[in-house]
Amino acid sequence: MHEFQHQDSPQTLAEGFDEYAAANPGLVRGAGLSPQAQRFFSCHDAVHVVFGCGVALDDEAVVKIASIFGTTAGLAVLRGYRLHESLDIYRQLRVAAVMRSIARSVFIVPRTIARCLAQRARWPWDGFDDHRHIALRSIRQEFGIRVAH
């Protein structure tokens, strides 16, 4: 596990972003994405860091559910998953891995929804810049967020 994935991580959100990016060098960012995808994946990556998720399929399921129920985006977040860049990622997934993740989602989805509904406030989907220099443990305490693991 990475430091940003620990509930009481002293890292700032910016440091968590840096660690997440370093741990996942294969993620496409920047000029390789449309402006809409750049914005979406920046917000999506923030959810990864704040909710303490890696990039395994089970963690991606947590991020999707947390984005809907635990952030200010709500159902509007689903538009980002329809971008061609998102669809390109889906095409690379192995069917067997997706099927295993779907089977485990029976536990992951209700647990994630319950945790999100127990939050004190929803994480700001696209208005989080003023939190970049705040410790993850403080952010999680303020919003009532419990990390995925």
Side-chain angles (χ1 to χ4, degrees):
M1 266 183 37
H2 301 286
E3 181 62 35
F4 75 87
Q5 293 178 287
H6 293 275
Q7 182 70 37
D8 295 318
S9 175
Q11 288 181 318
T12 63
L13 176 58
E15 292 167 335
F17 262 117
D18 290 344
E19 184 183 30
Y20 174 78
N24 301 290
L27 297 180
V28 178
R29 292 184 178 83
L33 299 173
S34 68
Q36 296 86 356
Q38 286 179 30
R39 180 181 164 115
F40 171 76
F41 283 112
S42 174
C43 299
H44 175 86
D45 290 350
V47 174
H48 271 275
V49 174
V50 171
F51 285 81
C53 294
V55 295
L57 283 180
D58 289 355
D59 282 5
E60 290 292 346
V62 170
V63 169
K64 283 182 184 170
I65 299 302
S67 294
I68 294 168
F69 292 98
T71 77
T72 57
L75 290 172
V77 76
L78 297 176
R79 283 186 231 129
Y81 292 107
R82 293 191 322 228
L83 295 169
H84 76 84
E85 292 92 342
S86 295
L87 298 175
D88 289 345
I89 293 168
Y90 297 143
R91 287 184 193 101
Q92 297 174 27
L93 299 175
R94 295 184 173 176
V95 174
V98 172
M99 297 308 289
R100 282 191 301 275
S101 187
I102 289 171
R104 289 189 296 266
S105 70
V106 173
F107 302 104
I108 294 168
V109 171
R111 181 187 67 201
T112 303
I113 291 171
R115 286 180 175 188
C116 290
L117 294 177
Q119 287 178 213
R120 286 186 265 293
R122 287 181 166 216
W123 171 250
W125 171 256
D126 60 358
F128 57 85
D129 281 341
D130 54 339
H131 289 86
R132 286 191 182 271
H133 299 292
I134 298 175
L136 288 169
R137 66 175 162 222
S138 297
I139 290 170
R140 291 167 180 155
Q141 186 174 33
E142 176 185 346
F143 289 89
I145 293 170
R146 289 180 51 202
V147 296
H149 304 284

